[in-house]
Amino acid sequence: MKVFVTGKLSQKAFDALQNFAQVDAYESDDPMPREQVEARLEGKDALVCILGDQVDAALFQKRPQLKLVANVAVGYDNINVADANEAGVLITNTPGVLDNATADLAFGLLLAAARRIVEADGFVRRGEWTGWKRELMLGAELNGKTLGIVGMGRIGKAVAKRARAFGLNIIYTRKCDDAKTDGELKKAFDAQRVSLQDLCKLSDFISINCPLRQETRHLIGKAEFALMQAHCVLVNTSRGAVIDEEAMIDALEQKKIASCGLDVFEREPLVPERLMALPNVVLAPHIGSATKETRAGMDELAVKGLLEAFSGKLPANAVNPDVWNKFAEKLKSKV
Ligand code: DGY
């Protein structure tokens, strides 16, 4: 079996993969140009890729022997799953292993934006600090306030866990309407499910934790910003396009909200000049899952799923399990 990897893997994951397959790996940590991915995929049965790699019908048509794509990320908006289903290609992702790292970063951004930590750091470094002042860098306190979590899945819950320790009340939105889960969330975090409109109106802080899908693209736009309170702090560690970036910048410039902590952007790695110019935003380069432990966990889970699939077992982290029979046929026909 032949596998192409578009980035680096932790040693343990790489060794496990090499014990099983002939591995060709891109030598750099930089994003790989699409034409090179296509070229290096020639004759490969599986692709291990990252979220910057676009996977779609054009790629499947060019490389019909491809049977599996292991995305080393929980978000798989870079992959056209309908195209994969059509082509009989099994897709896997890396859920669960990055919840804590991402929730930690969401909280880091929330605290940094609410307590103006990055602004304060620059102030000290520029030598502008002349002594303790009562009104210097006043920010917002978390205790007793309301955090709205948009998307109460695994990462949303990890954010909720941290929020309780900070004395925050929690309201949330979820895609699925399911009273049992709402009851469990009430019990675990005293969290209350609300509509998106109410969440925007009632929250002092908002954390975006839903995946990017067709129905969540620009979920937070002009209308939602108009409902938010002027002191609201918005944090996004999901995908940039869940928020209408233009509308967000307008809201920040017009002081419709207080500040933002952003790890993700609509057209990464492009960050609009207007956003860069604002002092009340904290910006990070999509590092939600960037801890050594989590990277290793993601790599290992991606490789585990791949090895299971090629050994005849449907992996638990398959995104499109319905394609399993087609995948198994492809595997048997040794195309
Ligand atoms: C993911 O896994 O989707 C993160 O955004 C990148 O690790």
Side-chain angles (χ1 to χ4, degrees), residues 32-39 53-60:
M32 193 175 176
R34 162 77 180 232
E35 323 77 68
Q36 287 185 35
V37 177
E38 282 179 8
D53 300 315
Q54 295 302 317
V55 176
D56 50 26
L59 187 79
F60 299 134

Side-chain angles (χ1 to χ4, degrees), residues 44-237:
K44 306 293 191 307
D45 302 285
L47 168 68
V48 178
C49 66
I50 55 169
L51 54 91
D53 300 315
Q54 295 302 317
V55 176
D56 50 26
L59 187 79
F60 299 134
Q61 273 153 22
K62 240 190 186 130
R63 300 292 173 226
Q65 83 296 335
L66 191 65
K67 299 166 189 67
L68 181 143
V69 176
N71 202 38
V72 190
V74 67
Y76 51 87
D77 45 287
N78 56 314
I79 298 176
N80 188 320
V81 179
D83 290 351
N85 291 343
E86 186 67 33
V89 174
L90 192 69
I91 308 295
T92 63
N93 69 341
T94 59
V97 289
L98 42 73
D99 303 345
N100 286 320
T102 309
D104 284 350
L105 191 84
F107 250 85
L109 290 172
L110 197 159
L111 284 167
R115 297 301 306 274
R116 304 169 62 179
I117 296 173
V118 177
E119 216 184 316
D121 176 272
F123 180 79
V124 174
R125 285 174 199 270
R126 288 191 302 273
E128 290 172 21
W129 187 29
T130 53
W132 191 89
K133 285 187 194 163
R134 201 183 161 280
E135 303 290 318
L136 184 64
M137 297 269 162
L138 295 184
E141 191 146 332
L142 273 58
N143 187 48
K145 303 271 179 67
T146 297
L147 170 69
I149 300 178
V150 177
M152 193 61 131
R154 279 178 303 260
I155 297 173
K157 283 185 207 157
V159 169
K161 189 173 161 194
R162 284 151 181 77
R164 291 305 287 161
F166 278 90
L168 285 157
N169 303 311
I170 299 164
I171 55 179
Y172 66 93
T173 61
R174 284 180 80 238
K175 184 177 139 220
C176 309
D177 194 359
D178 141 33
K180 184 169 169 271
T181 308
D182 288 340
E184 285 165 6
L185 292 167
K186 175 86 186 148
K187 205 164 157 208
F189 308 113
D190 199 18
Q192 186 67 41
R193 181 178 178 150
V194 294
S195 67
L196 181 62
Q197 284 70 24
D198 282 348
L199 183 140
C200 292
K201 279 187 216 158
L202 300 171
S203 298
D204 301 297
F205 308 102
I206 296 177
S207 176
I208 307 294
N209 297 109
C210 62
L212 176 62
R213 305 261 188 271
Q214 218 170 334
E215 63 277 14
T216 58
R217 185 172 291 278
H218 287 193
L219 183 70
I220 307 294
K222 198 173 171 199
E224 287 68 31
F225 283 113
L227 296 173
M228 290 178 196
Q229 310 190 63
H231 64 262
C232 184
V233 176
L234 173 68
V235 170
N236 190 5
T237 52

